[in-house]
Amino acid sequence: MSKIIDLRSDTVTKPTAAMREAMYKAEVGDDVYGEDPTVNKLEETAAEIMGKEAGLFVTSGTMGNLIGVITHCSRGQEVIMGAESHIFYYEVGGGAIVGGVMYHTVAEDRLGKFTLEQIEHAIRGKNIHYPVTGLVCLENSHNRKGGTAMSIEATKEICDTAHAHDVPVHLDGARVFNAATYLGKDVRELVAEIDSVQLCLSKGLGAPVGSVLVGKREFIERARKNRKMLGGGMRQSGVLAAAGLISLTEMTKRLAEDHYNAHLLAKGLQQVKGLEVDLETVQTNIVMADTTGSGRTADEWVASLKQKGVLINSMGAYTIRFVTHYEVDRSGIEEALTTISGISSGN
Ligand code: TLP
């Protein structure tokens, strides 16, 4: 077998040489005392880039979202989110376990959006029987909807609606820089109306670990306490933050390349007998393909491709997912397509 082409996720990316060097040289201190200069710099840089007052370095996207939810909401409150959102689907129901909140899901459309009517309808009124709505969560780009991006206008409309009811909005921005790149907008503009954002450093941005939660200073102070409660108070974590700084200042600039490769891959998959790709959903670095026409399940595709050195993930009975990133270049994508075509034609 030649080299492995790993398209399971952009989470598989390893730190770059520049990151490893910065990690080696990082100035560190005890971050629970607020004394790690590199962590402080990462938090300030993330807040500045996102146009928010303050930031908090957390271990993962899951922790960033969980802290976001429990810092905004009190027990018994309801959190509105997409039925296919990562928070609902893949985060172990942490908000319910730790924060005692309920998840109220709203069905997204094919491109990962809700209508304002859906949000209006989901936000609870004053009736004595109802739970209180504590938060609306958005996801941009939207993972299970194929990495689709939500526009500035759509984001603003939802925020305006939520805010009119005094309900804050949290963004799962695991891949918010991918969304901003696709939209050709400054990420700060994209999240301007949002109260808190969780952004991942360890997806397409290549850092080995971590996310930053950003928002108002007072919110981040309470979030810091919640991070400590969850066991996420790290010590000399500047070694990790050093890589994250390179993610924010360098790696965000190259995401268009991953999007180009995803498009190339999607166009190629469309030519493979039995696979269907909705090109309209291929906006960033994720490609979903429907395997129904091939007569093979997603798991069967995953297993056959693995044998030939191409790694992908299954996202449903007949849905396979490919995620492009900086470790697989254009020739890697072409090689993967050759392997996939071979499997489809029984070779
Ligand atoms: N997503 C992972 C898996 O968990 C599915 C992936 O391979 O895509 N929000 C979004 C939108 C995400 O895609 C992810 C990770 C997270 C949050 C969680 O981030 P981590 O893995 O750092 O906890």
Side-chain angles (χ1 to χ4, degrees):
M1 196 191 293
S2 55
K3 72 173 196 309
I4 301 285
I5 301 174
D6 194 344
L7 297 168
R8 285 173 301 171
S9 183
D10 44 12
T11 60
V12 303
T13 47
K14 299 189 181 77
T16 63
M19 284 178 184
R20 288 175 192 263
E21 197 182 332
M23 292 169 80
Y24 179 70
K25 291 185 177 157
E27 246 189 275
V28 296
D30 189 329
D31 180 52
V32 172
Y33 292 102
E35 288 172 4
D36 190 303
T38 314
V39 172
N40 292 342
K41 187 161 177 216
L42 174 73
E43 293 179 342
E44 281 157 23
T45 305
E48 162 74 22
I49 291 173
M50 306 304 279
K52 304 296 177 202
E53 289 176 11
L56 179 71
F57 185 38
V58 294
T59 59
S60 64
T62 303
M63 185 186 268
N65 286 332
L66 176 58
I67 294 177
V69 167
I70 67 174
T71 307
H72 281 295
C73 300
S74 31
R75 298 186 75 78
Q77 287 193 334
E78 211 170 45
V79 183
I80 298 170
M81 65 185 73
E84 303 245 10
S85 63
H86 196 279
I87 297 181
F88 180 62
Y89 228 94
Y90 294 120
E91 298 184 10
V92 206
I97 300 167
V98 181
V101 300
M102 296 207 297
Y103 292 166
H104 180 152
T105 59
V106 173
E108 303 95 332
D109 69 10
R110 205 175 105 251
L111 299 176
K113 304 197 173 65
F114 323 112
T115 62
L116 285 187
E117 293 68 41
Q118 282 176 297
I119 298 292
E120 277 285 0
H121 190 73
I123 293 174
R124 301 290 190 160
K126 297 240 179 292
N127 189 313
I128 193 169
H129 301 88
Y130 293 164
V132 174
T133 303
L135 183 67
V136 172
C137 291
L138 300 178
E139 183 174 320
N140 200 8
S141 65
H142 196 301
N143 185 342
R144 286 187 58 82
K145 292 293 180 179
T148 44
M150 186 182 282
S151 69
I152 292 183
E153 296 72 28
T155 307
K156 182 176 181 323
E157 273 182 359
I158 290 179
C159 290
D160 288 349
T161 304
H163 292 159
H165 294 272
D166 287 328
V167 174
V169 179
H170 170 79
L171 177 71
D172 176 355
R175 298 185 180 84
V176 70
F177 290 97
N178 295 84
T181 301
Y182 169 75
L183 297 165
K185 301 288 182 192
D186 186 337
V187 70
R188 179 192 272 249
E189 228 188 303
L190 187 55
V191 304
E193 309 297 326
I194 294 196
D195 300 276
S196 60
V197 184
Q198 177 282 121
L199 60 103
C200 285
L201 305 165
S202 69
K203 308 276 176 304
L205 303 184
V209 177
S211 280
V212 187
L213 179 68
V214 297
K216 285 220 156 67
R217 193 165 301 283
E218 172 277 332
F219 171 84
I220 293 297
E221 272 166 25
R222 288 188 291 118
R224 196 174 290 280
K225 184 102 176 158
N226 283 328
R227 183 186 70 172
K228 191 75 187 83
M229 186 240 325
L230 293 172
M234 297 177 280
R235 302 292 178 174
Q236 287 73 32
S237 40
V239 287
L240 301 172
L245 275 163
I246 293 177
S247 296
L248 289 178
T249 53
E250 296 300 324
M251 300 296 278
T252 49
K253 295 179 195 154
R254 53 152 311 285
L255 294 174
E257 199 180 317
D258 298 343
H259 300 179
Y260 177 86
N261 285 337
H263 200 72
L264 190 76
L265 177 65
K267 295 282 265 190
L269 291 174
Q270 277 194 318
Q271 309 304 316
V272 176
K273 206 164 152 265
L275 292 186
E276 256 183 62
V277 178
D278 180 353
L279 263 194
E280 217 189 318
T281 67
V282 184
Q283 301 178 353
T284 59
N285 68 329
I286 299 181
V287 181
M288 298 286 189
D290 186 329
T291 69
T292 315
S294 70
R296 292 181 217 204
T297 64
D299 286 346
E300 284 165 345
W301 270 98
V302 170
S304 313
L305 279 171
K306 188 175 177 186
Q307 277 185 349
K308 305 265 182 192
V310 176
L311 306 184
I312 60 165
N313 266 330
S314 145
M315 297 295 273
Y318 290 92
T319 307
I320 48 179
R321 185 188 78 164
F322 303 77
V323 185
T324 58
H325 52 79
Y326 78 90
E327 286 184 29
V328 179
D329 62 10
R330 188 182 169 148
S331 70
I333 297 294
E334 283 160 358
E335 218 178 296
L337 279 169
T338 308
T339 307
I340 295 161
S341 304
I343 285 179
S344 155
S345 52
N347 297 323

